Amino acid sequence: MKSIFKGRIGRGLFFVSIILLGTFLQIISTSALALRKNNHSEPNYTELIILHILILLVVVTFQISVFAKRFHDIGKSGYWGILGLIPLIQWAVFVYLVFKKGGEMENKYGKEPQGLIF
């Protein structure tokens, strides 16, 4: 099975992926809050919290993966993708990765990404 942390992605796919992950997470969070407010009976929040945490873990895993692949494209270690978890710093890293041009040749992380590149 191929690891989700291997390979490279270009600036366009990185931008779209992060926006979609953020939108998905916002929809899930808003839905969870709406369910809490609309439940007039004595709700069991434990299941809702567990479900929310599981979804959050999946989204964060994919977020780190996308950051790691983008760092691979500029020739850096994917471990730099962990910076995508630190509030405020993640926005600076996001802007840097959106505007930093990736390598145009194959590097140790794979071939030049194809597709959604700008």
Side-chain angles (χ1 to χ4, degrees):
M1 184 167 124
K2 189 175 179 181
S3 171
I4 63 170
F5 296 97
K6 290 185 178 178
R8 297 166 57 182
I9 59 172
R11 295 181 288 180
L13 185 57
F14 171 74
F15 179 78
V16 170
S17 298
I18 293 299
I19 296 300
L20 288 176
L21 285 170
T23 303
F24 176 73
L25 189 58
Q26 189 63 38
I27 290 169
I28 295 299
S29 298
T30 304
S31 300
L33 288 174
L35 285 173
R36 263 181 70 176
K37 289 180 180 180
N38 291 335
N39 196 344
H40 300 293
S41 62
E42 189 63 35
N44 184 356
Y45 294 123
T46 306
E47 290 133 6
L48 189 61
I49 290 170
I50 290 172
L51 178 63
H52 193 77
I53 289 172
L54 290 174
I55 291 171
L56 181 65
L57 288 173
V58 169
V59 170
V60 166
T61 301
F62 279 106
Q63 178 184 347
I64 294 171
S65 168
V66 169
F67 271 87
K69 288 179 180 183
R70 184 67 188 116
F71 274 111
H72 285 169
D73 189 41
I74 61 174
K76 304 243 185 255
S77 170
Y79 287 111
W80 284 99
I82 295 172
L83 290 174
L85 295 177
I86 304 170
L88 298 178
I89 292 176
Q90 72 185 170
W91 287 104
V93 173
F94 172 76
V95 169
Y96 170 74
L97 291 175
V98 165
F99 289 103
K100 174 72 174 163
K101 187 171 179 155
E104 294 182 7
M105 306 190 92
E106 185 172 343
N107 66 17
K108 67 181 181 178
Y109 301 107
K111 294 181 180 179
E112 179 182 6
Q114 302 297 314
L116 195 58
I117 303 172
F118 59 85

